[in-house]
Amino acid sequence: QVSIAAASGGAGVERTGEQLYQAACIACHATGAAGAPKLGDNAAWGPRLKLGLSGLLKSVVMGKNAMPPKGGSDATEMELAHAIVYMANKSGGSLKEPAAK
């Protein structure tokens, strides 16, 4: 199991999807470690994209296979959603950024 604790963006500062990817997700999603779909691997991401943002977010929040909950980060759900959109859209998807709450 890989656990990465990304440094918080600071009080009230929300990280972008790319920032969270670089801080935490890259550890597995750049190399395919522990079966993670690699960034840019459209074939590996294809079936996952069918879940949509809400389905992917649920998987990330709960953890899936070797990925711990929240990918082992301290990210908020909104930051996780941005990271999912970033990775998915770099991998053949066309997810829309979530609306701010």
Side-chain angles (χ1 to χ4, degrees), residues 7-21:
S8 174
V13 178
E14 186 175 281
R15 291 169 284 194
T16 67
E18 183 175 9
Q19 288 171 330
L20 185 57
Y21 171 79

Side-chain angles (χ1 to χ4, degrees), residues 36-60:
K38 290 171 65 173
L39 183 72
D41 184 343
N42 294 13
W45 278 90
R48 291 165 173 88
L49 294 174
K50 292 178 183 174
L51 297 173
L53 180 56
S54 63
L56 289 167
L57 182 59
K58 181 178 178 182
S59 292
V60 172

Side-chain angles (χ1 to χ4, degrees), residues 41-99:
D41 184 343
N42 294 13
W45 278 90
R48 291 165 173 88
L49 294 174
K50 292 178 183 174
L51 297 173
L53 180 56
S54 63
L56 289 167
L57 182 59
K58 181 178 178 182
S59 292
V60 172
V61 169
M62 300 298 293
K64 184 163 178 98
N65 299 327
M67 183 178 69
K70 294 185 169 185
S73 76
D74 66 348
T76 65
E77 282 196 27
M78 185 60 75
E79 289 174 320
L80 292 169
H82 289 303
I84 291 166
V85 169
Y86 173 78
M87 289 189 290
N89 291 352
K90 293 282 187 184
S91 305
S94 59
L95 299 180
K96 294 190 187 319
E97 286 289 342

Side-chain angles (χ1 to χ4, degrees), residues 1-7 20 22-28 68-74:
Q1 178 177 0
V2 176
S3 181
I4 305 295
L20 185 57
Q22 293 294 333
C25 310
I26 196 169
C28 294
K70 294 185 169 185
S73 76
D74 66 348

